Amino acid sequence: MTEFSGFPFFPVEFDKRGKIHDPAQPAALDAHLAKGATTDLIVFSHGWNNHMDEARQLYADFFVSARAVLDAGKVPGAAGRKFAVLGVLWPSKKFADKELIASGAAGAASTVELDDLRGKLRALRGTFDAADADRKLADLEKLLPKLEDSTSACKAFVEGVRGLMKPGAGDEADAAKLFFSMPAGDLFAKLQQPVSFTATAAPGGGGAAAIGDAGGAAGLGSFFSGIGSGVRNLLNLTTYYQMKERAGLVGAAGVNPLVARLKKKYPALRLHLVGHSFGGRLVTAVAAGADDASMIKTNSLSLLQAAYSHYGLAQKWDGEHDGAFRRVVTQGAISGPTIVTCTANDKAVGLAYPIASIVAGQVAAGLGDENDKYGGMGRNGAQKTPEAVKAALLDVGGAYAFAPGKIHNLRADPFISGHSDITNKQVAYAVLSAIAAS
């Protein structure tokens, strides 16, 4: 058994269809739970990552902070609880790190630009579920030098990218229907427009972080445009749709049945779902299940910079449609509190939604914020959700007023400087406080 800072940790790896890679992994967790000492099971899912070691490191870092908070006696309601952790490992894909570097109207014919775009296409091999996806990526690479001067090549590039996955992967809340139905030439023209980002810098933090938080800090208001922008925007949005679909599938078809078996076998076990980035969508799908019959009763839900629509839990967000996971709220799947960390400092969650806004024909400052139709949970919190209340991510020791059945949008600007800055003590304290209040 592995321990992270005194938390018994059981990794379970899933493939892109939600199948468990090694049955011995959940068996080890089951054997541990059978000893009868565990009172609370934390199911934690990472988001995009380049390899499993990054996910394990994120878990290790988080529980270092959680241990420090618990040992300091800052969460009295957690005293006496005995935790175990199911660490979900699944094949996700990180956005490119260079997307916030201002490139002006640089054309794709530039040698540097072409090399960069070729590298991006090659990095996407193995990402998409279509059987011939890697061959299509190789064909797209051949089109790159022609994009500058050929509208037919641009159209063929768009159709090739859209062919990497099936059209049903998205919904109205992220412009997916428009993305797959819009004429190819029109879509590429829209995606060449500049995408501007604004943010509130975190005091003492990193300000605006690059996509994936691995590329250093980019200046506020950075933008990218031109042919190269069209290619990057197109690929990033398609990657987003694929990862969104996969997160839901792994959560509902893979993790949900495993957790359901454990809950049935150990009915007194309290369950807490924690998800970062696309993992936020994954754990929400764990609670929702594939249908009402497979919904799992959960004691708390923590969405840490979650990468899905801010209307995911909404009631009639457009006057007609509920959010994709609305029934998790209406049918009481979460008996305790739900917390949602959100900040304008998160460029990675913010990326897909301004691009979606441009696909829909909106070109203005503030794209992707809470007033935009296309916005992310980790950027804005749960919107048009009657059960949601505004609050702040507090320093360790602060007094939270978490309530059962409520969704607490925790504005986190002072403590979360970028998308992956979720392993600090303030975030761990919020998660543990939600657990203690359940």
Side-chain angles (χ1 to χ4, degrees):
M1 179 185 71
T2 299
E3 284 198 358
F4 285 157
S5 302
F7 288 84
F9 180 84
F10 297 89
V12 180
E13 186 173 347
F14 296 83
D15 68 15
K16 63 185 180 181
R17 295 176 181 83
K19 183 179 178 180
I20 294 173
H21 176 70
D22 181 359
Q25 292 178 327
L29 171 59
D30 192 354
H32 179 77
L33 296 177
K35 297 175 182 177
T38 303
T39 61
D40 294 72
L41 177 64
I42 299 173
V43 177
F44 201 149
S45 175
H46 65 84
W48 52 61
N49 64 287
N50 281 339
H51 49 75
M52 295 302 180
D53 287 345
E54 288 185 1
R56 289 186 175 90
Q57 190 61 53
L58 179 138
Y59 295 145
D61 292 346
F62 179 88
F63 287 107
V64 166
S65 294
R67 174 54 57 196
V69 170
L70 287 176
D71 287 352
K74 297 297 185 180
V75 190
R81 299 192 186 216
K82 300 296 183 182
F83 295 99
V85 180
L86 190 171
V88 178
L89 299 172
W90 64 287
S92 185
K93 182 69 182 179
K94 182 188 276 187
F95 284 142
D97 292 325
K98 298 180 179 179
E99 298 310 309
L100 291 183
I101 298 174
S103 61
S110 139
T111 301
V112 173
E113 185 82 352
L114 275 173
D115 287 345
D116 184 67
L117 296 176
R118 286 191 186 100
K120 181 165 179 60
L121 284 167
R122 291 171 187 175
L124 289 173
R125 291 177 185 175
T127 296
F128 298 99
D129 291 346
D132 59 347
D134 286 355
R135 178 190 61 77
K136 289 181 177 179
L137 287 167
D139 291 342
L140 290 170
E141 192 176 330
K142 297 174 185 176
L143 286 172
L144 288 175
K146 304 175 184 179
L147 298 180
E148 190 78 25
D149 302 311
S150 172
T151 56
S152 63
C154 292
K155 292 178 182 178
F157 192 88
V158 170
E159 295 297 0
V161 171
R162 291 197 291 203
L164 293 170
M165 61 180 305
K166 59 186 180 183
D171 53 38
E172 296 284 1
D174 56 20
K177 290 184 178 180
L178 273 174
F179 178 86
F180 286 106
S181 64
M182 184 179 292
D186 294 346
L187 179 60
F188 196 73
K190 286 178 180 293
L191 291 176
Q192 291 180 56
Q193 299 179 56
V195 179
S196 296
F197 298 87
T198 57
T200 302
I211 298 306
D213 300 330
L220 299 183
S222 294
F223 69 91
F224 46 98
S225 61
I227 296 289
S229 169
V231 172
R232 290 189 185 90
N233 288 344
L234 184 66
L235 293 175
N236 269 335
L237 200 51
T238 310
T239 303
Y240 169 81
Y241 293 144
Q242 178 67 83
M243 290 304 106
K244 171 188 171 183
E245 179 186 43
R246 185 175 298 168
L249 178 63
V250 172
V255 185
N256 171 281
L258 169 59
V259 173
R261 290 194 297 271
L262 294 174
K263 283 281 288 181
K264 183 176 181 180
K265 190 171 183 180
Y266 308 104
L269 187 68
R270 291 187 287 256
L271 175 65
H272 309 283
L273 303 177
V274 182
H276 169 236
S277 182
F278 284 118
R281 181 178 175 86
L282 189 152
V283 297
T284 310
V286 172
D291 50 35
D292 289 354
S294 58
M295 185 177 291
I296 293 178
K297 296 293 184 180
T298 301
N299 295 87
S300 71
L301 173 64
S302 297
L303 303 177
L304 311 179
Q305 300 311 116
Y308 68 95
S309 171
H310 59 193
Y311 296 145
L313 301 171
Q315 179 184 69
K316 301 293 186 292
W317 61 267
D318 61 351
E320 182 179 354
H321 299 96
D322 285 340
F325 297 112
R326 177 64 186 164
R327 61 193 178 87
V328 168
V329 180
T330 58
Q331 298 189 33
I334 316 299
S335 61
T338 295
I339 65 170
V340 184
T341 66
C342 49
T343 173
N345 297 329
D346 190 335
K347 293 297 160 295
V349 166
L351 175 68
Y353 293 97
I355 297 174
S357 296
I358 284 181
V359 170
Q362 304 171 39
V363 183
L367 294 179
D369 69 13
E370 64 182 45
N371 298 311
D372 189 354
K373 175 180 178 180
Y374 305 107
M377 192 75 78
R379 168 64 174 81
N380 306 314
Q383 298 297 308
K384 295 193 176 181
T385 305
E387 298 79 9
V389 295
K390 291 184 177 181
L393 185 69
L394 302 178
D395 205 349
V396 176
Y400 283 114
F402 292 153
K406 290 293 183 182
I407 299 164
H408 303 267
N409 292 332
L410 303 182
R411 181 57 58 185
D413 295 352
F415 299 115
I416 295 180
S417 62
H419 182 62
S420 293
D421 188 16
I422 56 93
T423 63
N424 58 57
K425 292 179 182 178
Q426 290 83 8
V427 174
Y429 175 66
V431 172
L432 290 169
S433 295
I435 288 173
S438 65

